[in-house]
Amino acid sequence: MNNFLSRRPLTMHQLYGDHVIFTSRPSFEKNPWLTTEEHQANMLTARELLIADMPVIIHEATVGEKSRALMQAAGMEFPSSYRTFKDAESYAERLREAEAAGEKIFFQYTHGEEFVEPSTYYIDKELFVALNNKMKLAKWTKGKFLPKRKVVPVRQLSEELQKWDYPYVIKPGDDHPTAGGYGVMICYNSQDRDKALSRIQEAETDADFVIEDYIRTEQNYCVQYAYSEATGLQYIGASIQNTNEYGKYHGNITAHHVPEQVIAAGREIMENGVAAGYRGIAGFDLLVDDQGEVYAIDLNFRQNGSTSMLIMDELLAGDYEKFFGTFAKVSNDAFYNRLMEEVRAGRLFPLAYYDGDYFTEEGIPSRFVGIWHGEKEDVEAHDQAFAQFNQD
């Protein structure tokens, strides 16, 4: 085995220190704005394992022999700093065990007090909730980098929307976490508006909502930073985000030429969060419009989908990295064998593998998240070839 992991330029342990554990799983509680499928949520618990170097709570299906073999094929020993769960009950047990041991927990997403006391949060829970609340965007940007926006009570939302020209964006302003564009409702026409209002009605919420102008985007960046007292404030890097027309996340590529005004805007927002007491990694969705103006549309004071890719950037061969997440549409064996072939070829770097065959039920597809890397044309060709192979 090589010393690949020893060459990481940054780990979560360097930021959060000893006696801190990490969980990226959304709470098992109901959340109307974060509709991640259960197996997808379980798989993503291991996404940051390689950049952690600290205890991470991950699902048992991510630590089997196939996961270890993929890591070995990439030249790495499987990390040992993890604690496993298999269901909602055992997940809650891991949290309670950490609390009883006096450890702090860095939550990717907030959990109710029935899981752990607020004092167990590594970041003050009220601050963490406020930092990630879309309604408070103006507070953390100090009123800068914002599209036209208005916060309205849900009971006034339908009436207020009649005053806005299409397209516009509706975002929930409550304390429920969101991710991957879920919870963000882009309205191009009255059909989209009616669908959004219907979804909001189904959520049975009395929260406020944010209405924003839709930004006609030239580029969509996730710009990331890290801070601790020991390391100071660091710019980790940025990725170019691929979203569909309704803002749903479909992956990203590493951005090596980011406009300085984008980096500066993100740094300013990070400094505002740090001044309020935030410690750790954060990523901000910053848009550049056709006039070169920078707009902040979402602030994620937590690890992000491309955080591992950005930290690993200089360690991967080639000039082009593309985040890759997929699940088996062919048989699990065929899916795994093709992944192994790509990893052994040195063009696909594994972050996490979720073994569908771990489960006694039949028909659970395996899942994978990793990084394509190499030259752009080669990466895109193999990405497309894998998609063609992995068809129903």
Side-chain angles (χ1 to χ4, degrees):
M1 295 294 154
N2 64 28
N3 64 344
F4 186 92
L5 293 182
S6 69
R7 295 186 285 118
R8 292 167 295 186
L10 180 69
T11 67
M12 292 162 62
H13 177 260
Q14 291 171 358
L15 297 170
Y16 306 130
D18 298 330
H19 311 300
V20 180
I21 72 172
F22 173 65
T23 175
S24 63
R25 200 196 190 288
S27 170
F28 280 88
E29 305 160 88
K30 180 181 179 181
N31 179 347
W33 313 123
L34 187 58
T35 55
T36 305
E37 192 269 342
E38 180 177 358
H39 291 292
Q40 182 72 2
N42 289 339
M43 183 273 287
L44 291 174
T45 58
R47 185 182 62 189
E48 281 79 37
L49 186 60
L50 293 183
I51 64 167
D53 197 27
M54 62 184 284
V56 181
I57 300 177
I58 60 179
H59 194 275
E60 287 182 359
T62 66
V63 301
E65 288 304 314
K66 292 177 182 176
S67 299
R68 295 171 184 276
L70 285 168
M71 293 291 180
Q72 186 175 20
M76 295 177 292
E77 294 284 358
F78 196 86
S80 59
S81 54
Y82 62 83
R83 303 172 189 180
T84 61
F85 73 96
K86 62 181 180 180
D87 52 25
E89 182 179 355
S90 57
Y91 176 74
E93 287 175 0
R94 299 294 87 78
L95 299 180
R96 289 193 293 268
E97 289 166 358
E99 182 179 41
E103 295 174 312
K104 296 291 186 180
I105 304 175
F106 192 110
F107 286 96
Q108 183 83 344
Y109 303 104
T110 53
H111 289 47
E113 292 188 25
E114 65 268 31
F115 290 94
V116 293
E117 293 295 324
S119 59
T120 306
Y121 279 64
Y122 177 77
I123 301 296
D124 177 83
K125 184 177 181 180
E126 288 189 11
L127 173 64
F128 185 66
V129 170
L131 285 166
N132 291 289
N133 187 321
K134 290 177 172 55
M135 190 172 65
K136 299 181 184 297
L137 211 66
K139 178 175 181 179
W140 308 118
T141 66
K142 295 190 175 178
K144 301 174 67 174
F145 318 118
L146 297 179
K148 174 190 171 185
R149 66 195 322 254
K150 185 173 184 179
V151 177
V152 298
V154 65
R155 65 182 181 277
Q156 298 175 11
L157 182 60
S158 180
E159 179 183 354
E160 179 63 31
L161 289 176
Q162 296 178 29
K163 305 173 186 176
W164 288 65
D165 294 327
Y166 298 113
Y168 53 73
V169 184
I170 307 171
K171 301 176 181 179
D174 60 18
D175 291 338
H176 283 108
T178 63
Y182 293 94
V184 174
M185 293 158 274
I186 300 176
C187 299
Y188 294 97
N189 49 49
S190 58
Q191 288 80 14
D192 291 337
R193 178 203 60 202
D194 293 345
K195 188 182 298 184
L197 290 173
S198 177
R199 183 181 178 191
I200 291 166
Q201 185 176 21
E202 290 173 3
E204 298 180 342
T205 178
D206 59 359
D208 292 341
F209 282 79
V210 179
I211 311 170
E212 283 185 351
D213 264 349
Y214 175 82
I215 303 301
R216 301 188 185 280
T217 306
E218 290 291 309
Q219 201 59 271
N220 181 345
Y221 294 100
C222 180
V223 188
Q224 299 191 37
Y225 304 82
Y227 176 83
S228 73
E229 283 84 357
T231 63
L233 198 157
Q234 304 177 55
Y235 168 61
I236 298 176
S239 61
I240 296 171
Q241 302 199 107
N242 176 23
T243 61
N244 69 12
E245 62 180 324
Y246 287 99
K248 302 303 181 289
Y249 173 77
H250 288 304
N252 42 29
I253 61 172
T254 303
H256 291 122
H257 304 286
V258 183
E260 185 55 40
Q261 68 265 33
V262 172
I263 297 174
R267 179 179 292 274
E268 188 173 332
I269 295 168
M270 184 67 174
E271 289 171 346
N272 295 338
V274 168
Y278 184 73
R279 303 292 183 267
I281 293 171
F284 312 129
D285 294 348
L286 303 182
L287 306 183
V288 179
D289 71 3
D290 54 6
Q291 302 300 311
E293 294 294 323
V294 178
Y295 293 93
I297 61 164
D298 197 14
L299 309 181
N300 296 304
F301 282 89
R302 55 181 181 244
Q303 283 65 223
N304 293 261
S306 57
T307 300
S308 294
M309 182 173 72
L310 295 180
I311 289 177
M312 297 292 188
D313 179 22
E314 296 300 323
L315 304 182
L316 299 177
D319 297 326
Y320 188 77
E321 292 99 32
K322 184 175 185 178
F323 189 82
F324 180 57
T326 187
F327 65 93
K329 298 177 183 176
V330 295
S331 73
N332 284 342
D333 283 343
F335 179 74
Y336 171 76
N337 290 335
R338 181 60 179 265
L339 289 171
M340 177 60 80
E341 179 184 322
E342 301 291 355
V343 172
R344 284 176 173 160
R347 53 180 167 255
L348 182 60
F349 183 81
L351 294 174
Y353 179 80
Y354 185 80
D355 189 359
D357 295 334
Y358 160 88
F359 300 92
T360 55
E361 313 98 285
E362 293 186 3
I364 304 298
S366 295
R367 295 171 182 266
F368 175 84
V369 63
I371 307 166
W372 290 110
H373 60 101
E375 300 307 313
K376 181 177 180 179
E377 290 186 3
D378 189 58
V379 165
E380 294 296 346
H382 284 94
D383 186 32
Q384 293 175 19
F386 193 100
Q388 292 172 357
F389 156 79
N390 188 37
Q391 293 182 347
D392 293 317

